[in-house]
Amino acid sequence: MTTIGSLCSGLGGLDLAAVDVFGGQLAWWADIDPAAVTVMTAYHPHAPNLGDVRTVEWQNVPPVDVLCAGYPCQPFSHAGRRRGTEDPRHLWPWIARAVRVLRPRVIVLENVAGHLKRGAGDVFADLAEGGYLFAWAVVSAGDVGAPHVRRRLFVVAADTARDVPRGRLVGGPPGRAQPSDGDITLGGGLDWGKYTDAVRGWEHALGRVAPVPSFETDRGTHLLTAPFVEWLMGLAPGYVADMPGLSRAQKLRLLGNGVVPQQAALALRLLLPQLASAQPA
């Protein structure tokens, strides 16, 4: 069985994609955010949380076949200060240390597209120095039919000393609804205006109508609902929105920092064949 390790796990969207493409299950994961810990513990009770990636003694951690890491995007995001590798939240050096010790067969990385201009060169250099063949692509959530752009950089690397796995060419991340066979009410009765076609397309892809996007407060303002953002992210109903013990703010922050599983799975299926064809004979 394929074993998967997850660093900076968040809500586990990158891991869902890895399981979809490679099969297997999560052996361990690492995160320190309380909301992420709550969600990951609920869905992966068999897998231990290694905690802070900066303090893990990797020689004591069981090796895995696939290592996933969606490390913090704030150092590279256009919305931040763009301090890149000078930002104390830049965790790649510690992930690189894990790679050097564990030597996973495949590495799957995710970050914002702005990482290409700030810091990705160091990542690529470390992978090449470690004997990994890699390929990258910027994939949008819209590429899988989601009604938002969310451009993300995906990097897939494979150990050149071992065969590159092609993965499963078709499928969908576990826990999500199957595509609709036409028995849902398009648009859910809400007026989506110019976004109607985009919303209806994602409804068909997920097999369920879009939740109510906002609610009105006592002050007359409108706030996003967690179920709607969860739907935008391509997750199963209640995956985060119904998680006990989390505030609305925690749910929205976790979802906002998460990975759309379908988007990540598409990136894997695009990049793995490139690695296989480029591998030395």
Side-chain angles (χ1 to χ4, degrees):
M1 176 182 292
T2 301
T3 55
I4 300 171
S6 172
L7 304 181
C8 307
S9 306
L11 57 78
L14 196 59
D15 314 329
L16 287 175
V19 171
D20 173 48
V21 173
F22 297 109
Q25 67 176 9
L26 204 64
W28 44 257
W29 53 280
D31 211 303
I32 59 174
D33 176 73
V37 171
T38 296
V39 170
M40 291 295 290
T41 301
Y43 290 111
H44 305 284
H46 65 281
N49 177 15
L50 304 183
D52 192 335
V53 298
R54 297 169 294 184
T55 61
V56 177
E57 297 294 337
W58 293 108
Q59 62 270 22
N60 299 325
V61 175
V64 290
D65 299 306
V66 180
L67 180 65
C68 299
Y71 47 99
C73 65
Q74 289 86 351
F76 319 108
S77 174
H78 291 301
R81 296 182 178 179
R82 308 182 193 181
R83 296 179 62 188
T85 57
E86 301 302 317
D87 194 305
R89 294 168 294 184
H90 177 46
L91 296 183
W92 169 252
W94 286 272
I95 295 170
R97 185 175 65 179
V99 168
R100 287 192 293 270
V101 175
L102 298 175
R103 296 299 303 177
R105 184 180 178 191
V106 177
I107 302 166
V108 181
L109 308 175
E110 178 271 345
N111 214 289
V112 294
H115 191 16
L116 277 175
K117 295 182 178 180
R118 289 175 289 276
D122 291 346
V123 175
F124 297 159
D126 287 340
L127 291 173
E129 183 179 353
Y132 281 88
L133 188 68
F134 64 89
W136 62 266
V138 174
V139 178
S140 166
D143 293 333
V144 292
H148 52 108
V149 177
R150 200 175 183 84
R151 297 174 71 248
R152 290 295 183 268
L153 169 67
F154 293 92
V155 182
V156 180
D159 187 348
T160 55
R162 289 177 275 183
D163 290 336
V164 177
R166 297 188 67 89
R168 293 184 286 196
L169 297 181
V170 295
R176 75 156 218 205
Q178 295 299 311
S180 168
D181 59 5
D183 59 351
I184 65 173
T185 302
L186 295 178
L190 297 176
D191 181 8
W192 296 99
K194 64 181 181 180
Y195 303 108
T196 297
D197 289 344
V199 168
R200 289 178 176 176
W202 197 227
E203 286 179 331
H204 273 304
L206 298 182
R208 60 191 180 98
V209 299
V212 174
S214 65
F215 65 93
E216 187 173 0
T217 68
D218 294 339
R219 298 181 177 180
T221 58
H222 287 80
L223 300 177
L224 275 173
T225 66
F228 179 67
V229 179
E230 180 178 74
W231 175 85
L232 287 174
M233 294 295 291
L235 298 166
Y239 188 91
V240 172
D242 292 346
M243 186 62 59
L246 298 185
S247 67
R248 173 182 166 275
Q250 285 179 307
K251 293 174 182 177
L252 291 179
R253 185 177 69 252
L254 189 61
L255 289 164
N257 289 329
V259 177
V260 177
Q262 297 88 336
Q263 178 184 1
L266 172 62
L268 276 168
R269 292 189 170 102
L270 289 172
L271 295 173
L272 282 171
Q274 295 183 34
L275 292 180
S277 63
Q279 188 177 31

